[in-house]
Amino acid sequence: MKRLAFSLVLLTAAPAYAEPGAQDSQAQTLYQTKCASCHGAERLGGIGPALLPDNLGRLGKSGAEMTIREGRAATQMPSFKNEIDDAGIKALAAYVYSAPNVAAHWAQADIEASRVLTPAPAADKPKFSADPLNLFVVVEGGDHHVSILDGDKFEPIFRFKSRFALHGGPKFTPDGRYVFFSSRDGWVTKFDLWTLQVTAEIRAGINSRNIAISKDGKHIAVANYLPDTLVILSADDLEVEKIFEVADLNKHPSRVSAVYQAPTRDSFIAALKDAPEIWEISTDPHAPPVYSGLVHSNEKSMIEALPSAQGLFALRRIEISEPLDDFFFDPSYRDLLGANRDGGKAVVVNLTVGEEIATIPLPGMPHLGSGISWMRDGRRVMATPHLKEGKISVIDTTDWKVIAEIPTAGPGFFMRSHENSPYVWTDSFLSPTHKDEIQIIDKNSLKVVRSLKPAPGKTTAHVEFDRSGRHALVSVMEMDGALIVYDADTFEEIKRIPMSKPIGKYNVYNKITFSEGTSH
Ligand code: DHE
């Protein structure tokens, strides 16, 4: 039986979930009377987010208890401490971490029914005077808002309420006019940066990872953990164009860890969490035929035995030795570096031939998704932080050898640079003692040249440059946080803009030009 067919299916196995406890019936009654109206009778979400273990994993049971007891600031979640006693709160928290009675399903009809269109009035220019290509889009996770910042004056020009818990980088149309956001509970939002208006929204999954936009800006791909799907939407009005039920060649379903645009290949590349395959989905209507599953096989009979696909959304499977769920792409998108959370290594996959071509030992859990690359001594190097060790590994992409390990203040999450800057900025986001420190590394000497601690004791991370590369913006990721603007050459603080837990910030120009030092 398929684990996630597009209908209600009894749940057979779900290893990530705790089994329902004995106090379940009390908790279920409480849930239906107190929570269901916002979070849905089946815990799939509504006004509030889905309350399933896969959505709540990072909150933890004690965090869930605290949220039920105290409510959540700046949201519609009230405090229940005067309505539910301690035992009830504990039972409810355990309940939302237990397996749902039915497999979570989100079929095409559900996706389509969720779509809301709010078209903006016609506009032939932005309704503000700031450079529309030097805007910053800032995701404020504290009270779930997005701020639009003038990237020359560093002044907010607009702020709006976003979906709950946006995650991953927003994606821009090639002209920089529209931006798309995705939330952890599956919502995709299209926002018009000229009229400053949300124009369309749709819930493409129950638990989503991220989105990608196609090279021509016409299609949005949504990577889902729940259900096991990859959903393609029209970027125009978010209408569903195709749903891939993701499974390996043996029909074992897989979650999709992330999906990316490969601009030089005119395709989406998807990382699968549970299958030893990388998926490439063509976004070129004239793509030649591909032989799914056997792209690297020499066995003619097997190639003939498999159907070929061609054109828009043709699927190519690249078989690899084990699942890889964290990717870095070289700027030509010929090679991909992949890792999974368990291994102390990265695997290089050549996307042209569909083969693993090298393995790089990289202990300390590299965070390849945050890797960046630059030219040094005529050779292209890439650098990655590590989630479990305070170091940056620098790799020569010609022979895939680690050429340096730069010690940092602690395990880090993000890295950034700009083609006009001689420096790389990185954080120690995961360090219990140095999470307030930003370190700046010389791209040539590979030495740390400066450490900044702009808000002692407060988590400080995620950097983005402005269009010119002259300024670097850093987040103090706290509820009473701030965006700090630095001179990228002198490292002097220029301005501090208060914000509610600013997470990521994204410069329109750098994103649409695939600037070398930023994420895509
Ligand atoms: Fe992220 C990007 C996965 C936890 C903030 N994160 C991404 C991307 C992936 C990913 C695959 C690339 C998507 C894209 O931009 O299109 N993140 C994961 C995880 O697997 C992990 C470790 C665990 C999880 O909970 O999913 C994780 N991420 C976090 C956080 O805890 C962060 C710090 C806070 C939050 O809001 O969840 C966080 N992730 C971010 C940000 C980006 C991101 C800000 C975009 C980075 C960029 O500059 O483009």
Side-chain angles (χ1 to χ4, degrees), residues 166-241:
L166 299 184
H167 177 240
K171 301 297 179 307
F172 297 85
T173 47
D175 60 1
R177 172 161 179 183
Y178 296 98
V179 57
F180 299 83
F181 301 91
S182 66
S183 74
R184 286 194 182 265
D185 53 3
W187 283 96
V188 177
T189 302
K190 178 176 181 180
F191 183 80
D192 181 354
L193 284 166
W194 284 14
T195 60
L196 301 172
Q197 222 178 289
V198 169
T199 62
E201 285 197 291
I202 195 164
R203 192 175 188 187
I206 294 170
N207 183 201
S208 297
R209 298 290 294 168
N210 79 325
I211 52 172
I213 187 164
S214 61
K215 178 184 179 177
D216 59 10
K218 290 186 176 165
H219 314 285
I220 302 288
V222 188
N224 285 331
Y225 258 11
L226 203 62
D228 299 320
T229 53
L230 197 141
V231 177
I232 313 272
L233 307 169
S234 154
D236 182 32
D237 57 4
L238 300 185
E239 193 172 17
V240 177
E241 294 187 311

Side-chain angles (χ1 to χ4, degrees), residues 154-173:
F154 302 112
E155 282 168 7
I157 59 174
F158 191 69
R159 190 168 191 268
F160 65 97
K161 184 146 187 58
S162 71
R163 285 282 163 185
F164 183 83
L166 299 184
H167 177 240
K171 301 297 179 307
F172 297 85
T173 47

